[in-house]
């Protein structure tokens, strides 16, 4: 296979593992609606870093790390669920204003991009998706020793994920003309509730497995 084919396969994987609506999608939409295109993409890039890490682990077949991840699913669920619940409460209690958003709180965006990184890194669904997809690639996966081909595929994953965040942020920004402070407040309540529900579902799944 050619490097272009590896890049395209990685690109498709990046899109399909990022597109399902989850906690980071909620955060990116919230920031794009409140503060515009750049901030929505910026938050999404935090998750792209986590995706690239998992893609690299999967495609390079780092067995020790892969086995550790597979053996620590319960811990990943506990940490991920806690992050979602804590951040959901934070979002619910935040009352944004368009006037403040126009100035752009860079410190806040960095903090939320970091939160997006850890949410993606501790999301059991993300872990399972990468393990399953790369495990099933077969001959479509770069051969052993083809380091450059593997790097190209990882870059493709990052490119696909980034393209998704650009698309989502662009669509939200395109239709944000009717947004006011009241709308942002309601959106934060909805987003906060969704994040807490995601976290609660993770704990419910964990308890179900235990019992």
């Amino acid at each position: 296979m050619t490097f272009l084919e590896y890049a395209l396969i990685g690109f498709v994987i990046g899109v399909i593992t990022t597109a399902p609506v989850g906690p980071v999608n909620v955060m990116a939409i919230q920031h794009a609606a409140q503060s515009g295109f750049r901030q929505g993409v910026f938050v999404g890039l935090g998750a792209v870093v986590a995706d690239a890490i998992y893609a690299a682990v999967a495609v390079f077949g780092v067995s020790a790390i892969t086995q550790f991840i597979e053996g620590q699913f319960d811990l990943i669920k506990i940490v991920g669920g806690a992050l979602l619940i804590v951040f959901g409460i934070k979002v619910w209690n935040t009352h944004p204003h368009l006037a403040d958003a126009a100035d752009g709180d860079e410190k806040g965006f960095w903090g939320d991009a970091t939160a997006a990184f850890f949410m993606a890194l501790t999301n059991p669904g993300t872990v399972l998706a990468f393990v399953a997809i790369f495990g099933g690639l077969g001959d479509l996966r770069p051969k052993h020793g083809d380091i450059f081909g593997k790097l190209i595929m990882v870059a493709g994953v990052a490119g696909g994920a980034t393209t998704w965040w650009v698309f989502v942020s662009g669509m939200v920004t395109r239709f944000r003309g009717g947004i006011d402070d009241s709308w942002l407040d309601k959106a934060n309540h909805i987003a906060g509730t969704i994040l807490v529900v995601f976290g609660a579902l993770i704990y419910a799944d964990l308890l179900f497995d235990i019992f």
Side-chain angles (χ1 to χ4, degrees):
M1 294 187 68
T2 66
F3 291 141
L4 177 59
E5 289 172 321
Y6 287 144
L8 289 174
I9 291 171
F11 184 90
V12 172
I13 292 173
V15 172
I16 64 177
T17 54
T18 305
V21 176
V24 182
N25 276 274
V26 173
M27 287 176 59
I29 291 170
Q30 176 203 20
H31 278 278
Q34 178 185 345
S35 306
F37 173 80
R38 183 173 65 91
Q39 285 72 18
V41 174
F42 190 77
V43 169
L45 290 178
V48 172
V49 176
D51 290 343
I53 290 173
Y54 277 130
V57 170
V59 78
F60 279 93
V62 185
S63 58
I65 298 177
T66 303
Q67 290 172 9
F68 173 80
I69 290 172
E70 292 175 346
Q72 299 298 323
F73 266 13
D74 285 351
L75 178 60
I76 290 172
K77 288 180 179 180
I78 291 171
V79 174
L83 279 174
L84 292 178
I85 292 171
V86 170
F87 200 80
I89 293 172
K90 174 182 178 292
V91 170
W92 174 280
N93 290 322
T94 299
H95 302 284
H97 302 284
L98 287 176
D100 298 335
D103 297 332
D105 183 358
E106 296 295 340
K107 182 178 179 181
F109 296 138
W110 274 106
D112 288 344
T114 302
F117 166 76
F118 283 109
M119 283 184 190
L121 197 68
T122 59
N123 184 344
T126 303
V127 179
L128 288 171
F130 277 106
V131 171
I133 291 173
F134 279 97
L137 283 180
D139 293 337
L140 298 178
R141 183 172 171 165
K143 298 296 186 290
H144 179 71
D146 185 3
I147 296 176
F148 191 67
K150 293 178 179 181
L151 288 173
I152 290 293
M153 185 169 281
V154 172
V157 170
T162 301
T163 299
W164 175 256
W165 298 123
V166 169
F167 170 75
V168 168
S169 298
M171 290 297 292
V172 173
T173 304
R174 172 71 175 78
F175 296 104
R176 68 190 287 256
I179 294 175
D180 57 16
D181 285 356
S182 175
W183 189 97
L184 290 176
D185 208 38
K186 292 177 182 177
N188 268 16
H189 287 168
I190 294 172
T193 300
I194 292 174
L195 291 171
V196 171
V197 168
F198 271 119
L201 288 175
I202 288 175
Y203 279 118
D205 180 63
L206 182 62
L207 290 172
F208 182 77
D209 288 341
I210 291 175
F211 294 108

